[in-house]
Amino acid sequence: MLTENFLKGRRRRELSAEERQALESVLTPPVTLPKRRVVTVRGDVVSRSTFLISGFMCRYMDGADGQRQLVSVETPGDFVDLHGYPLQRLDHDIATISECQVAYAPHEKLTELIERFPHLGRLLWFSTLLDAAMHREWIFRLGRLDAVGRVAHMLCETYVRLDAVGLVENQSFAWPLTQQDLGEACGLTSVHVNRTLRVLREAGMVDVADRIVTVLDFGRLASTGEFKPDYLYFNDELRTP
Amino acid sequence: MLTENFLKGRRRRELSAEERQALESVLTPPVTLPKRRVVTVRGDVVSRSTFLISGFMCRYMDGADGQRQLVSVETPGDFVDLHGYPLQRLDHDIATISECQVAYAPHEKLTELIERFPHLGRLLWFSTLLDAAMHREWIFRLGRLDAVGRVAHMLCETYVRLDAVGLVENQSFAWPLTQQDLGEACGLTSVHVNRTLRVLREAGMVDVADRIVTVLDFGRLASTGEFKPDYLYFNDELRTP
DNA sequence: CGCGATATTGATATAGATCAACTAATGTGG
DNA sequence: CCACATTAGTTGATCTATATCAATATCGCG
């Protein structure tokens, strides 16, 4: 089941067997993309959307001086650029971070699908609004938290999202982002990210090393990052690890 | 026509007469809300969405220390909290800034509407993704621009959006946000917003006084704020004032 | 007409950027 | 499989944009 992680754990949003079957039927066979590959650039007209089966991708915008600002990190089970279906044209770039497995949903098939299954249409809509909710929290992070808070918040979000799709084991998860990437997500330089991670490590909250994140004290990490997971719309049991 | 400004000027997104008629028919009669009134708070379960006819509203999140971070400013023609329809529960607060006229769309009626007019459903979906696109640009603003750039970018966005619904006259528009509000949007203190506005005024780009914004040199303001209006998905003619 | 909210200006403090040097991984072609 | 190149991470010194604190001015409203 390619889409088994789609909306997994979202409160009252599980797909029916029939809906899932129908969704699977519009996807192309899976494809592997190499790491650090730009997939779509701002302005591209898109006629299909990318479902992420495994690996990490990101969406970002480029500044005038060539600096990147990540606007989201996509993890397995995410419909990366479903936004492109109603928008038709993308307002940001998309790239892989690690090697990824993806499958494509052609837009004309999505239209048929939604007309046949309006409820599934609402679920797809919902999934794009999860992105919007994460964007809002991202704005909060940049606007109101200091460096330690921003990184803590980001790591909490990732932890909870990956936990929902079974990618957390022993408080740890694989994390292909470099410190540079994390800085581009949090509006910080890689140098400062490095110092910030040291602070969090020395405080015993989290350890990031060798592309693996180990959360040692989720409670303290969450309160440092003012992380309240309601915006991820998970089932209650999942909401506070 | 209450909804005459809904999606106005968006490329190939105008509603058909029949669709507009149907949309109007689900709205309650207009209501007036006083300024600075909190309308919804984070966590509220919502069963209707608010269409903004006139006035300014905002969406925001509260930090632990009581600081607000605005995540969007809503202007006439916006479906303020249509996100609440697929999400059911809101992850942020909503308040008026100025006195506002609004009409409500009960969610059960929206469901009927969308099943009858799937294309209108896609337009409603599209309108929520415009918010997401603005959120992304907002992230870019906070993560990559300095104070002058952030304020410039925000003023450009507002100018273009208000222009599309006929609220710009002689390069000027009414602007009910205080410097404090603008700071809460841009992640700056009101003191620094004040100094930033002075810089922009002295550079001859824009003048903000008496709750009126006058854009004197849009081109320079846009380049200062790295403002590229494609993310607002307007018709081409509207894209560069 | 007076009082709270908003705007303005100045002085000082600080978080994070920038610049620079070095180390440790990771990868690649011979 | 090694030698070298490239990328990622680490640490220190200095600089700067913006916060913070403080005082005054002005506006808008009851």
Side-chain angles (χ1 to χ4, degrees):
Chain A
M1 260 318 192
L2 300 182
T3 64
E4 66 173 314
N5 288 324
F6 181 58
L7 293 180
K8 184 141 145 201
R10 307 294 170 166
R11 53 164 56 194
R12 294 189 295 282
R13 305 297 176 157
E14 296 289 356
L15 282 68
S16 72
E18 195 190 9
E19 285 169 341
R20 189 172 299 278
Q21 171 79 67
L23 179 59
E24 293 269 341
S25 76
V26 309
L27 291 179
T28 63
V31 171
T32 300
L33 302 174
K35 66 180 179 175
R36 304 286 163 182
R37 157 77 55 91
V38 176
V39 173
T40 318
V41 305
R42 184 168 181 158
D44 277 3
V45 172
V46 287
S47 61
R48 61 182 191 184
S49 288
T50 308
F51 180 78
L52 181 56
I53 299 161
S54 70
F56 281 57
M57 297 179 74
C58 66
R59 304 194 275 155
Y60 62 93
M61 339 207 22
D62 281 305
D65 48 359
Q67 297 196 90
R68 287 201 317 177
Q69 174 64 47
L70 298 204
V71 298
S72 87
V73 171
E74 308 291 328
T75 55
D78 290 344
F79 231 125
V80 179
D81 55 357
L82 188 54
H83 288 238
Y85 170 56
L87 291 177
Q88 291 176 1
R89 189 164 46 82
L90 284 187
D91 49 73
H92 54 273
D93 298 357
I94 301 180
T96 61
I97 295 174
S98 61
E99 182 175 288
C100 291
Q101 264 217 309
V102 303
Y104 301 105
H107 288 169
E108 72 277 9
K109 290 201 178 170
L110 284 178
T111 302
E112 287 169 32
L113 190 67
I114 289 166
E115 295 195 0
R116 229 155 31 96
F117 299 96
H119 175 255
L120 178 55
R122 220 139 348 104
L123 292 182
L124 290 170
W125 185 355
F126 171 82
S127 82
T128 59
L129 296 191
L130 280 179
D131 282 325
M134 288 190 272
H135 288 339
R136 285 189 285 274
E137 201 72 18
W138 207 299
I139 291 170
F140 171 76
R141 192 147 81 206
L142 290 173
R144 289 293 159 232
L145 300 181
D146 63 10
V148 174
R150 287 182 208 175
V151 171
H153 187 288
M154 172 108 202
L155 293 175
C156 284
E157 177 179 303
T158 309
Y159 184 97
V160 173
R161 288 169 65 193
L162 291 178
D163 194 30
V165 295
L167 291 173
V168 171
E169 224 167 305
N170 297 322
Q171 330 267 63
S172 295
F173 55 87
W175 171 257
L177 303 228
T178 63
Q179 294 182 358
Q180 176 73 29
D181 295 328
L182 187 48
E184 287 171 353
C186 293
L188 301 169
T189 58
S190 64
V191 171
H192 204 64
V193 166
N194 185 285
R195 302 193 225 264
T196 302
L197 289 175
R198 177 147 54 112
V199 169
L200 290 170
R201 184 179 338 110
E202 287 174 355
M205 290 191 236
V206 64
D207 190 48
V208 181
D210 298 325
R211 303 298 159 82
I212 292 178
V213 172
T214 305
V215 174
L216 304 163
D217 187 340
F218 187 90
R220 222 142 45 82
L221 192 66
S223 90
T224 301
E226 297 186 28
F227 176 75
K228 281 159 286 172
D230 59 335
Y231 73 94
L232 294 170
Y233 294 84
F234 279 114
N235 293 327
D236 292 335
E237 324 77 80
L238 277 168
R239 280 168 62 196
T240 27
Chain B
M1 263 313 196
L2 301 182
T3 63
E4 66 172 315
N5 287 325
F6 181 57
L7 293 181
K8 184 138 144 206
R10 307 294 171 167
R11 53 164 56 193
R12 293 188 297 281
R13 305 297 177 158
E14 298 287 357
L15 282 67
S16 72
E18 194 188 10
E19 286 169 341
R20 189 172 300 278
Q21 172 79 65
L23 178 58
E24 293 268 340
S25 76
V26 308
L27 291 179
T28 63
V31 171
T32 302
L33 301 174
K35 64 179 181 175
R36 304 284 163 185
R37 159 76 55 91
V38 176
V39 173
T40 316
V41 304
R42 184 170 181 155
D44 277 3
V45 172
V46 287
S47 61
R48 61 181 191 185
S49 289
T50 308
F51 180 78
L52 181 57
I53 300 161
S54 69
F56 280 58
M57 298 179 73
C58 66
R59 305 194 276 154
Y60 62 94
M61 337 207 23
D62 281 305
D65 48 0
Q67 297 196 89
R68 287 203 315 179
Q69 173 64 47
L70 298 204
V71 298
S72 89
V73 171
E74 307 291 328
T75 54
D78 289 344
F79 230 125
V80 179
D81 54 359
L82 187 55
H83 288 238
Y85 169 57
L87 291 176
Q88 292 176 1
R89 188 163 48 79
L90 285 188
D91 49 73
H92 54 273
D93 298 358
I94 300 181
T96 61
I97 295 174
S98 61
E99 181 176 289
C100 290
Q101 263 215 311
V102 303
Y104 299 106
H107 288 169
E108 72 278 7
K109 290 200 179 172
L110 283 179
T111 303
E112 286 169 32
L113 190 67
I114 289 165
E115 296 194 2
R116 227 152 37 92
F117 299 96
H119 176 254
L120 179 54
R122 219 135 355 102
L123 291 181
L124 290 169
W125 185 355
F126 171 81
S127 82
T128 60
L129 295 191
L130 280 180
D131 282 327
M134 286 190 273
H135 288 338
R136 285 190 285 273
E137 201 71 19
W138 207 298
I139 291 170
F140 171 75
R141 192 147 81 208
L142 290 173
R144 290 290 160 236
L145 300 181
D146 64 11
V148 174
R150 288 183 206 175
V151 171
H153 187 287
M154 172 110 202
L155 293 175
C156 284
E157 178 179 303
T158 308
Y159 184 96
V160 173
R161 288 169 64 193
L162 291 178
D163 193 31
V165 296
L167 292 172
V168 171
E169 225 167 305
N170 297 323
Q171 329 268 61
S172 295
F173 54 88
W175 171 257
L177 304 228
T178 62
Q179 293 183 359
Q180 175 72 31
D181 295 327
L182 187 49
E184 288 171 353
C186 294
L188 301 168
T189 59
S190 64
V191 170
H192 203 65
V193 166
N194 185 284
R195 300 193 224 263
T196 302
L197 289 175
R198 178 149 53 110
V199 169
L200 290 170
R201 184 178 339 108
E202 289 174 353
M205 290 191 237
V206 65
D207 190 49
V208 182
D210 299 324
R211 302 298 158 86
I212 291 178
V213 172
T214 305
V215 174
L216 304 164
D217 186 340
F218 187 89
R220 221 142 43 84
L221 191 66
S223 91
T224 302
E226 297 186 28
F227 178 75
K228 282 158 286 172
D230 59 334
Y231 72 95
L232 294 170
Y233 294 84
F234 279 113
N235 294 329
D236 291 334
E237 322 79 78
L238 278 166
R239 279 167 64 196
T240 26

